[in-house]
Amino acid sequence: MSYDIYFLNRRDGQSWDEVLEAMEDAAEDNEPIPTHLLEAWDRIMPQARALLGEVEITQYEQESRDLSHSGTGIDLSVFSDEVTITVPYWHAGDDAAVVLGQVSTLAAIVEKETGLTAYDPQTERALAEAPPEGSVGLMSRITEDLRSRYGG
């Protein structure tokens, strides 16, 4: 289970539900990553490294790109024309605030470089419109719940 952020191309007047439905439909097509996203990836990587430190990069031809940070579990992926950030429910309290702050900063970098909007499906709004305390509280509650169920 992970806290997810999707990067979407939302047109004026388009609801988030319509954008998400279009994303799901497009996900069925297994297309190569568009050139503009590959170029954005090249601009995002140095900024992501400056933010997170040592990261692992995985590339598969023109099909996918992935950045993983082992300390936090933050993962940035590009697959076809889909861009996502995920972070596992490992963090609670102040730790969750720090990690979600890094996610928010990384999301701002991705937005700037791709022109896409970061959407938080957990709060059902644009990441920039979601109060950070709500996201931190949600991550903390789910993390604590998972720990109580499964140990850890």
Side-chain angles (χ1 to χ4, degrees):
M1 291 185 67
S2 61
Y3 198 101
D4 303 327
I5 304 297
Y6 304 142
F7 292 87
L8 306 171
N9 188 10
R10 183 179 182 201
R11 296 185 305 276
D12 287 341
Q14 193 176 29
S15 75
W16 285 116
D17 286 339
E18 291 170 328
V19 178
L20 289 168
E21 189 175 310
M23 182 184 90
E24 288 173 14
D25 291 344
E28 294 170 8
D29 304 332
N30 196 3
E31 298 289 323
I33 299 170
T35 302
H36 72 279
L37 285 181
L38 288 172
E39 291 168 352
W41 177 265
D42 290 341
R43 294 187 304 272
I44 292 166
M45 284 308 89
Q47 297 173 73
R49 284 187 172 109
L51 172 66
L52 299 171
E54 188 173 328
V55 293
E56 183 178 327
I57 306 293
T58 308
Q59 300 184 140
Y60 179 71
E61 297 178 5
Q62 253 190 283
E63 306 302 318
S64 67
R65 300 287 185 272
D66 190 75
L67 170 147
S68 298
H69 183 253
S70 62
T72 60
I74 293 173
D75 189 85
L76 169 64
S77 298
V78 180
F79 178 78
S80 186
D81 65 350
E82 191 173 311
V83 182
T84 61
I85 294 175
T86 60
V87 61
Y89 286 110
W90 295 349
H91 313 281
D94 291 343
D95 187 37
V98 169
V99 169
L100 288 174
Q102 291 174 310
V103 166
S104 182
T105 301
L106 182 58
I109 293 166
V110 173
E111 282 183 319
K112 179 184 78 164
E113 298 298 348
T114 65
L116 300 171
T117 301
Y119 174 76
D120 181 341
Q122 290 79 204
T123 62
E124 299 181 335
R125 58 176 74 172
L127 183 62
E129 298 169 2
E133 331 51 78
S135 302
V136 170
L138 178 65
M139 176 169 268
S140 296
R141 284 190 304 279
I142 293 173
T143 297
E144 295 299 340
D145 181 56
L146 291 170
R147 286 178 183 164
S148 70
R149 289 180 194 214
Y150 303 107

